[in-house]
Structures are given as structure tokens and as C-alpha cells.
Amino acid sequence: MYFLQTNKKEKTYIGLFLSLIIIFSSAVTSWAAYDEVSSYPVYRGLINPQENMKKLNITDANGDSRLYFAVGLGLMSAPNSKFNPSHTMSEMEALAAIVNATGMETQIEIANGNWKTGYIEMATSLGIITEEEQTLGLSAPDAPFSNLITAEKFNRWLSSAIKVQSAYTADPDNTVTRSNAASAFYNNKEKIAELKGYTLIKGEIVDQKTVTEDSKNKQVTTIKQDAGGFINLLSENNIPVIKDGNLSRDITLLSKGERANIYYKDSQTQFTISEYINFQNTSGIFQSLTGDTITITDFEGKIKTYKTHPDMVILEAEGEIGNKGKTRPIQAKDLIFNQDVELAVKNNLVHEITSYIPRDSDLDGYIPPESRLITGVVLDVTQNYITFTDSKMYIINSDTFILKDSVLSDYRDIKEGDRVKLFFDDIYSITATRVEVEGQQRQADTIIKGTIDSYSSGRGELVIKSVSQLNGDRWVEADKSYTKLKLNGTVYDGNKKVTTSKLKDYKDQEIYALLAKNQNNPTIEKANIRRGAAVSFSEEISKVDFPGSYLNIETNLINFTEGTLIVKDGRIVTTGNLQEKVGAYVESGTNKNASLIVMSNTQYSKDATDYPYKIYRGTVQDIFDYSILLNNDKSQRHYYLMTGAKWDTVRATKDSPRIAYTDNTVIYDSDFNKGQGKVIEVRDFRDSKYEGSKYDITPNYFDRQVYVVTRDDVAVSINFLSQTGYTEVNTQNVMTAKVAEFNEEARTFTVKEVSKYNALRGIFVSQQTTEVIDISKASIIKGSNEVPKRALGELVDKKVKIVYKQNTTKANNAIAVIVE
């Protein structure tokens, strides 16, 4: 069992905790509410499901799930469980259903038991019908609007009611059946659900499991939302489920890979409708594969074209269609004109192409290891899984080779937004044997804004005027080189993609753009056109609501969409990577739709529990074989621990903190010989064991002040410093920055793009300065090792976290520098 994840790494541990609870559920009677331990927002079922089940009981649905939508949202009814889908509708019946779709039927006052008059008056006030239509409709007072409704009139009324253009589903003059009406309503389900006060959640089912809550087994269904993020449906047979036009309370009828629409209102899941689509196989003769379009000729001579899925798999099989032999993965260039092919199509996209070649008895069918390759952009990564932005998940484990910058690494060095290659030993496995991080293609090197001037389709170049560049949380005048930019990515107006041919319509509109280096030339990776004047915020994100697609910052609700530009620690990411309790700069229009969200230093947030580094400050109580015991002032019995950016005071115990070290740990005495310093050999350090013993009368290190930097709780460096200033630990600050220059003679770093941790606000705050850092006594850590002094020049342009003591008269004194 597992949980998919988006933005909180501690969820891996929660998932493990839940698994253990489930395994041992027979031994316990109850446990905490599932909401308290769920990885994602929990949506529960109905308190009284019988009422909705009775309302939704339709015996003549004939497999049409759309009828349940119309009944479930109260647009139409099914008296005595009969919907009568083939019955035609009068104008009055249609008008009542359309008014119901607006959600305004609750405002109708029924006078003298005549419901029709109230609906007609409401329809008139809403502009659904004209005064002329009202007059004609009332020409027969005893039977108003008694004519049969035509498709043209029904769709015109519906469009006026919901303020969305509804398309004809039949010939305009055709009469409308109840089934036609339900179909038209369902085609506009997003708008109608909104008007009726429902939250409509659309997405793919990615996991199902059983949990125990209050001694009861309940079903958890995890949904990957189309709008970004995940939710959990918690069912105790109290969520009506419609699948294949049938009604049930068994949510396990839904399966992984299936799509569903969930209708949520009044803090209860009212019902869910499955949109299950099976793969459909089609075959023919291969003609071409150009871009994302494949063309085949079927076996009756008809030419057919299909769009391809971005992660489409291409296989070559021995044999013939219907008699497939051994297969192997190939590339698009290996497809052969007039070759027999079979396409696996789902949601109108080709997910797999199988090409056929005659069997060759001389071939042994051997497939080399790591011969299957899949590439993608990382949405989330844990020690067990990598999830791509297309929601595909692949398994990694301790045996998976992970390479970054051609150096062996681990999963924590894979970041959201990274482009990666996954290699597999066979074509069916989802367990990667090797992962390669492709570099920094998804880096947002520069963030700019300006006004659109023109677009040259021939050069693919966007011209922008009055360009500003984001520096921390301030906009400064940008270099002139940013006025003409190649357009490599997509431009959005809110959530709507803007074609290049339409850019001319946005002349003089303000645009935000994320720029990446492409052959050292800045290109636009993604852009967003803002509506209204700019409104900016610079504070901690207190809440991210994925079902609602909004975040909370400075007590303001800001909406985000697919088109919002989102940057996380310098990487271009998606809405699913938004994170709470981190500092952010957000800029939106007056409509509160975010154009730009920039999150910084997220690895040091309160939620970043898998950050591998810890920094201890204390005194040496004792030395053992490959471990040391820390203490502090004997009268206080505490030590200091920094896990993110804040020092915590922790009470020392008899055996804590006992920290392991290895033969690779760098042990340094920074104060030796009046600050000249010296490296202490590990074997010599081990010889000083049991210094805390009362029998050792000449200890070398006992009670000396020390800083210990650990990675995965093993010491990378142990640095002895002066015992003075011991109580000043909270005056020691934390900054993040980029190394601009290394002065070998002075042993200093000059750093830029500085953000300093503000303990009062609990976030990093951008500084419009450069800083000089004295690193002569600092432990400088990269990965699991300390950087040799001779190699410090290689850190120029690297991002670093610096723990330092502020010095107002000269360079700040670094204590620890961690290279990210």
C-alpha cells in the first residue's frame, strides 16, 4: 500500500503508519479519525445515504449515466423510479428544468398551488425567456407553454440561463426528449454544478485500499484531480456510485485508471459518476507519424488519423495481428511504411503502437538490460516512487542507480520539475533500474514582466516593452536583451491557452514570463497574461486547497490555474507542487487569479522532514569508537539542534545525542594555534575515547564546544570552535544564496541572490544585497562529504545554505556551508 504525494514529503511515513495500522487492525478497537492521518483532504459520504439512493433509483436508465446527473442535481425527477428517457418534453417541463439548473428555484414562491406561474416569472426575471415568449406561452392559461420544446429553443433557453453557449444535440427543429435534455445538462455539468452549489471534482482513480476507523472497515479511494492535487474519498457504503448506467453503494466497483466525477455539497459526497473508458484497439497499415499525429489506412482502404499520448510506447512484435510473438521497444524512426500496426486508443489518444514483422526463427528475442527508456518531468519523488506530471508513477528502490551530474546520488537529489530518464530491464516492468537527472532544463533562470508589443510568427519571437526583472520580491529594470524573446513554451490567459495567432489581440496587455537558457539564449518556457492591475504578496503560504484551486497568503484567497506560473526553488513546476508553510512571492490581478507564484527555500520549511542535514551545537561529553556524546553547560543539560533554519533547544539525556562518525568524517580544530586550525585524523580522535571518564585527567576534547553537521544522522564534519559566546546561539543566522566569487587568499565567498531567515516571520526574506562570508573556520558540505579546501573555486554559481554569525564591521563568519 502507498499514498501518492504532491508536496509533503512526510506523507511517505504517514503511508507506512497507515499500512501498519491496517495490518494490526484486528488487535485494536479504534484509532484516530482518518482525516488526522490522511495524506490528502478527506471527502466523506452521506450521513443518510438512503434518501439519495431512493431519489437516484432509476429503473429505466438503460445504461445512460447522464440521467443520474439530471436527477441527482435536482434538475429533473424520476417519479416511481421511472425517468422515461424517450418521452418528449413540453416547453413548460423544459423551462422548469432549466430554471432548476440555475439554482434559483429555491427563491420561487408557490401561490395557490400553481407552481408553473412561479417558474415562468423566475424565468422571465432571469432573462431566460423574453416578454414576447412569455405572452405567447401564456396564451393558454390552463396549460401554459404546452407546445413541445424544440432543440433550438431548449439550447437557447439553457444558454441564457447558465451564461454558457450550449451546443445543439440534434437538428434545431427536432423535439427534445427527456434523455436529450439530460444529455445537454450533463454536457454543461461544470457550470450547472457551480450554480447548484456543488463542488465538482474530476479526476482519475489512482489507488484504493481498506482502512479501519472506529473499529469499522472503510474504503479509501484516492483521486488525482484534473485541477491538480489529490483527494481521498472515505466510504462506508454511503456514497452512491453510478457506473455503466447502474446505481450502487459499492465504491470498489471503481477501479484504478478509471475517471470519475464526484459531486460534493454540504460537507458530504452526494454521488459519483464513473466515466470509465476501455482501451480500444484499431488496426491498419502504417502511413506516417508526424509530430503528435499518426496516420494509418484501415483494411478497407479508409485513411484515419489519431493524436498520440506524450508517453506513447512503440513496440515491434514478431508475427501478425492476432498472433503476436516476442516484442521489443523501438523508436518512431524504426516504423516502416506500409507495415501492419495495431493501436491502443483511450480518450481519443493513442497510448501504444504495436508494429508487426514476420517471425524469424534465427532471432533469439534477447532484450538488452535497460533497453526501455521513459522520460518525463517530476511531479513528486519519494524513496519508493517517482510520479511524473502526467500522473504516471514508477517504482524506485535501494537497488536503483540514481545519477545526477554523472555522480551517483539518491532520490533526495531529484527535485520537482526536474527532467529525468528512467531505464527498465524489460518492457513491462514499472520498476526503474537506473534514473538519470537530465540537468537544469526546467530551471527558471529569469522571471520578467512587461507589456506585449508584437509577435513574429516567422521568427517565433515575442516583442515585449517596459520589461522588468524579478529580484527577490522586487521588480527592477531588465536588460534590453529581454525585449525580443523566442517563444518556446505556452502562453496562457488565465487557464486558457493562447495560440500565437491570437497574441496580436493582447497588444499592450501585461505579461509574465519564465525564461530558461537555450544555447545561452533566453527563451520563454511559459507565460501568463494578467487581467486587471497587479496585486502582490510576500509572506508564508498558510494553506493550499487543491480541490478549490486556491491558496491563502496574508489572509487573502488567491486562485491558481493550469496557466499560473509556478516556480519552486528556481525550478518550473506545476500546481501539484504548491506547498504550505513556505515563504512565497505571489502576484495576481485584481480578480485574485494568480499570474505568478514563486516559492523559495522550501527544503527548509516546517514540513521538509526528509531534509538530510542536521547541525548540532554542544560540548563533547565523551568519545567512543565511531560515535560521540554531546552535552551542554552542565548546569543546564541541554544542547542546540538546527534541522531547517531555526535553532531548537533540546534537553540532553544520558545517551543523547550520540552521533555516529566514520573514517570519512572530517574532524577539524578551527582554534588550533591561534586560529590557524588543523585536521584531526580519525584514528587519533578515536584514541581519545572515554574522555568523559573521571579517570582521564588530561582530556583533549572533553567539554569543548563543537559543531557537528550530519547527513542521514551520520557526521560529515566535526568542528571544534572556541568556548566563548556559548549562549549566543540565537544570534547565529541562516541565509541562502548563490556563490558569486571565491577569494582563495582571503578565504571568503562573495554571495548574491541572498535570502535571510526571519525568525519572527518564520520565512526567508529576499535581500537586495551581496554579502561577503568568511569561510576560514567553516565546514563546507556537499553531498555526504566535506569539500576539500583546494576545490572551493568549483562552488561558484552553486546555491548554498550558510549558517553564520553576523559581523557588522567585516565579513560574516560562516560556521557551516551546505551546497545544494
Side-chain angles (χ1 to χ4, degrees):
M1 294 183 183
Y2 59 90
F3 285 105
L4 287 174
Q5 300 163 43
T6 55
N7 59 348
K8 291 192 176 180
K9 307 300 182 184
E10 74 271 17
K11 293 171 186 173
T12 302
Y13 306 106
I14 292 174
L16 177 60
F17 172 74
L18 286 178
S19 300
L20 292 173
I21 288 291
I22 294 166
I23 292 170
F24 296 108
S25 60
S26 60
V28 296
T29 57
S30 66
W31 56 303
Y34 183 70
D35 309 63
E36 298 176 10
V37 293
S38 170
S39 304
Y40 310 114
V42 175
Y43 288 73
R44 293 176 177 270
L46 293 161
I47 297 173
N48 180 19
Q50 292 80 7
E51 183 178 337
N52 250 20
M53 290 295 292
K54 183 178 180 180
K55 180 176 75 170
L56 286 165
N57 184 31
I58 302 173
T59 58
D60 57 352
N62 299 321
D64 191 345
S65 297
R66 295 171 296 186
L67 312 186
Y68 292 93
F69 170 82
V71 172
L73 264 68
L75 315 181
M76 305 171 73
S77 62
N80 301 317
S81 300
K82 293 288 187 181
F83 187 85
N84 297 315
S86 61
H87 285 196
T88 53
M89 297 182 74
S90 71
E91 291 179 346
M92 189 66 241
E93 291 172 318
L95 195 61
I98 290 170
V99 170
N100 289 341
T102 68
M104 295 298 292
E105 75 281 4
T106 57
Q107 308 299 316
I108 296 175
E109 295 183 4
I110 305 300
N112 301 321
N114 187 351
W115 65 271
K116 297 179 181 179
T117 300
Y119 270 92
I120 294 168
E121 291 176 350
M122 178 60 73
T124 305
S125 67
L126 292 174
I128 298 173
I129 57 176
T130 65
E131 292 184 3
E132 181 182 359
E133 286 176 321
Q134 182 184 20
T135 301
L136 290 173
L138 294 174
S139 58
D142 295 334
F145 290 92
S146 57
N147 292 332
L148 295 180
I149 186 81
T150 64
E152 183 277 330
K153 184 173 288 188
F154 183 93
N155 282 279
R156 176 162 50 83
W157 285 0
L158 179 59
S159 299
S160 298
I162 64 176
K163 304 298 187 285
V164 173
Q165 184 60 48
S166 177
Y168 291 147
T169 58
D171 186 281
D173 295 326
N174 280 7
T175 55
V176 174
T177 66
R178 288 172 58 82
S179 176
N180 295 151
S183 177
F185 289 136
Y186 189 76
N187 291 339
N188 295 280
K189 55 184 173 291
E190 290 87 356
K191 185 62 177 179
I192 293 175
E194 175 188 343
L195 294 171
K196 297 289 286 184
Y198 285 79
T199 298
L200 171 56
I201 301 167
K202 301 191 297 181
E204 179 182 350
I205 297 166
V206 293
D207 195 21
Q208 284 192 321
K209 57 178 68 65
T210 302
V211 300
T212 302
E213 183 187 60
D214 297 331
S215 303
K216 298 178 181 178
N217 288 338
K218 300 181 181 181
Q219 298 299 320
V220 175
T221 302
T222 304
I223 309 290
K224 168 67 173 81
Q225 301 177 92
D226 293 349
F230 300 81
I231 67 162
N232 282 328
L233 290 184
L234 184 64
S235 172
E236 190 184 357
N237 290 327
N238 59 351
I239 298 178
V241 177
I242 296 101
K243 180 173 179 177
D244 299 328
N246 297 303
L247 176 67
S248 171
R249 288 187 355 193
D250 183 5
I251 202 165
T252 62
L253 292 175
L254 305 178
S255 56
K256 289 183 184 180
E258 196 167 331
R259 293 187 53 77
N261 296 330
I262 297 101
Y263 295 87
Y264 188 77
K265 187 178 183 181
D266 299 331
S267 301
Q268 300 175 78
T269 304
Q270 302 292 323
F271 60 95
T272 181
I273 298 179
S274 166
E275 289 193 334
Y276 180 72
I277 301 176
N278 255 324
F279 277 104
Q280 296 178 329
N281 290 330
T282 186
S283 54
I285 301 170
F286 176 72
Q287 301 299 306
S288 65
L289 177 57
T290 305
D292 62 350
T293 303
I294 182 172
T295 303
I296 66 171
T297 302
D298 69 15
F299 294 120
E300 295 179 355
K302 295 179 181 178
I303 296 176
K304 297 181 177 180
T305 61
Y306 299 90
K307 292 294 184 181
T308 59
H309 191 276
D311 294 320
M312 178 182 65
V313 175
I314 305 177
L315 304 176
E316 185 178 75
E318 292 183 12
E320 55 193 20
I321 296 174
N323 186 18
K324 183 165 63 176
K326 299 174 183 177
T327 62
R328 69 182 185 93
I330 61 173
Q331 298 180 1
K333 63 181 179 63
D334 297 320
L335 291 169
I336 303 171
F337 178 70
N338 275 348
Q339 184 177 24
D340 286 355
V341 292
E342 190 171 26
L343 311 181
V345 183
K346 184 177 181 180
N347 294 326
N348 297 317
L349 293 175
V350 177
H351 287 249
E352 184 177 276
I353 302 174
T354 303
S355 61
Y356 289 86
I357 59 172
R359 280 190 173 85
D360 187 341
S361 58
D362 294 331
L363 297 178
D364 60 10
Y366 170 70
I367 300 176
E370 299 184 355
S371 59
R372 179 183 170 211
L373 168 65
I374 292 176
T375 62
V377 177
V378 176
L379 173 69
D380 192 32
V381 61
T382 73
Q383 62 182 340
N384 298 313
Y385 300 98
I386 289 180
T387 306
F388 284 168
T389 51
D390 63 359
S391 301
K392 294 287 185 65
M393 175 180 281
Y394 303 96
I395 296 173
I396 58 174
N397 53 41
S398 57
D399 294 327
T400 303
F401 280 95
I402 298 176
L403 299 174
K404 186 170 185 177
D405 298 329
S406 301
V407 176
L408 190 62
S409 184
D410 70 18
Y411 77 95
R412 285 169 304 196
D413 292 322
I414 303 173
K415 305 299 183 183
E416 299 154 340
D418 280 348
R419 292 188 184 274
V420 298
K421 296 178 181 178
L422 305 183
F423 296 85
F424 303 84
D425 278 349
D426 65 71
I427 62 173
Y428 301 108
S429 175
I430 61 170
T431 301
T433 55
R434 182 158 57 101
V435 179
E436 291 183 3
V437 181
E438 289 195 299
Q440 299 186 348
Q441 291 94 328
R442 295 289 294 176
Q443 291 293 114
D445 292 297
T446 309
I447 303 172
I448 65 166
K449 70 175 179 178
T451 54
I452 296 174
D453 185 21
S454 62
Y455 177 75
S456 170
S457 57
R459 294 190 298 271
E461 193 173 74
L462 184 65
V463 179
I464 305 176
K465 302 180 295 185
S466 305
V467 184
S468 299
Q469 177 180 343
L470 187 64
N471 181 13
D473 57 0
R474 300 181 188 179
W475 294 96
V476 298
E477 186 177 355
D479 187 272
K480 297 296 184 184
S481 62
Y482 294 132
T483 56
K484 293 182 179 180
L485 296 163
K486 291 288 186 181
L487 181 55
N488 188 46
T490 305
V491 178
Y492 289 85
D493 175 2
N495 198 35
K496 180 178 67 176
K497 293 182 180 180
V498 179
T499 61
T500 54
S501 62
K502 293 290 186 180
L503 282 173
K504 64 179 184 298
D505 298 334
Y506 291 90
K507 182 177 174 62
D508 294 328
Q509 289 289 311
E510 192 146 33
I511 186 171
Y512 296 80
L514 303 181
L515 308 185
K517 291 289 181 64
N518 186 356
Q519 297 179 347
N520 290 323
N521 294 317
T523 59
I524 297 176
E525 289 294 304
K526 187 177 180 180
N528 183 278
I529 298 169
R530 193 190 68 229
R531 295 293 184 102
V535 181
S536 62
F537 309 91
S538 182
E539 192 50 81
E540 181 183 87
I541 296 175
S542 57
K543 180 181 180 182
V544 179
D545 188 294
F546 287 104
S549 296
Y550 68 85
L551 56 83
N552 227 321
I553 185 169
E554 292 185 8
T555 71
N556 290 276
L557 294 181
I558 305 296
N559 302 309
F560 56 83
T561 69
E562 178 190 351
T564 301
L565 310 184
I566 303 176
V567 178
K568 188 172 187 177
D569 298 325
R571 302 182 306 277
I572 303 171
V573 296
T574 65
T575 56
N577 300 122
L578 287 170
Q579 186 173 335
E580 296 177 355
K581 310 304 181 186
V582 299
Y585 177 78
V586 177
E587 192 149 319
S588 72
T590 50
N591 57 5
K592 295 299 180 70
N593 289 329
S595 292
L596 175 68
I597 302 173
V598 181
M599 297 173 287
S600 302
N601 302 294
T602 64
Q603 63 268 52
Y604 313 126
S605 73
K606 303 178 184 69
D607 294 333
T609 55
D610 70 339
Y611 184 65
Y613 298 101
K614 295 177 183 176
I615 302 175
Y616 294 84
R617 182 184 183 185
T619 56
V620 174
Q621 175 71 13
D622 214 339
I623 299 172
F624 306 98
D625 270 334
Y626 295 112
S627 69
I628 60 173
L629 181 64
L630 293 191
N631 195 2
N632 205 317
D633 293 340
K634 295 179 181 177
S635 61
Q636 298 180 12
R637 295 289 297 158
H638 65 259
Y639 61 94
Y640 298 106
L641 172 63
M642 176 184 283
T643 51
K646 181 175 174 292
W647 290 103
D648 293 320
T649 302
V650 184
R651 182 171 177 80
T653 65
K654 180 181 178 181
D655 296 314
S656 174
R658 190 158 174 168
I659 303 170
Y661 62 90
T662 71
D663 287 333
N664 293 325
T665 301
V666 175
I667 306 173
Y668 198 73
D669 188 343
S670 293
D671 286 324
F672 179 78
N673 193 17
K674 298 181 180 181
Q676 293 297 313
K678 75 167 182 177
V679 175
I680 303 169
E681 296 292 337
V682 173
R683 61 177 178 272
D684 295 336
F685 188 69
R686 290 177 60 206
D687 288 343
S688 298
K689 59 187 177 182
Y690 310 126
E691 284 211 334
S693 167
K694 62 183 178 180
Y695 302 109
D696 192 338
I697 59 175
T698 59
N700 293 317
Y701 307 108
F702 175 71
D703 212 23
R704 282 199 57 188
Q705 180 178 300
V706 66
Y707 285 84
V708 183
V709 182
T710 68
R711 180 180 169 98
D712 298 327
D713 296 323
V714 176
V716 180
S717 74
I718 300 173
N719 195 353
F720 289 94
L721 292 175
S722 170
Q723 296 185 41
T724 61
Y726 194 67
T727 59
E728 299 176 5
V729 66
N730 290 316
T731 68
Q732 295 168 22
N733 304 314
V734 182
M735 73 167 68
T736 61
K738 182 180 286 187
V739 178
E741 182 182 347
F742 169 54
N743 187 322
E744 184 173 5
E745 182 178 353
R747 292 288 176 181
T748 60
F749 280 151
T750 301
V751 294
K752 59 183 179 180
E753 299 179 20
V754 176
S755 292
K756 293 185 178 180
Y757 183 72
N758 186 311
L760 294 177
R761 296 172 64 186
I763 61 173
F764 283 84
V765 179
S766 297
Q767 310 290 309
Q768 313 303 315
T769 62
T770 59
E771 299 275 351
V772 178
I773 308 295
D774 185 338
I775 58 171
S776 59
K777 293 186 178 183
S779 298
I780 301 178
I781 311 298
K782 184 179 181 183
S784 299
N785 301 294
E786 183 160 356
V787 179
K789 304 299 182 187
R790 63 182 182 277
L792 293 178
E794 298 175 5
L795 301 185
V796 173
D797 285 334
K798 299 290 186 183
K799 292 195 69 173
V800 291
K801 171 188 174 183
I802 304 171
V803 179
Y804 66 100
K805 185 172 182 181
Q806 186 120 1
N807 195 325
T808 57
T809 58
K810 53 183 179 180
N812 296 319
N813 297 317
I815 296 164
V817 178
I818 297 175
V819 183
E820 300 299 341

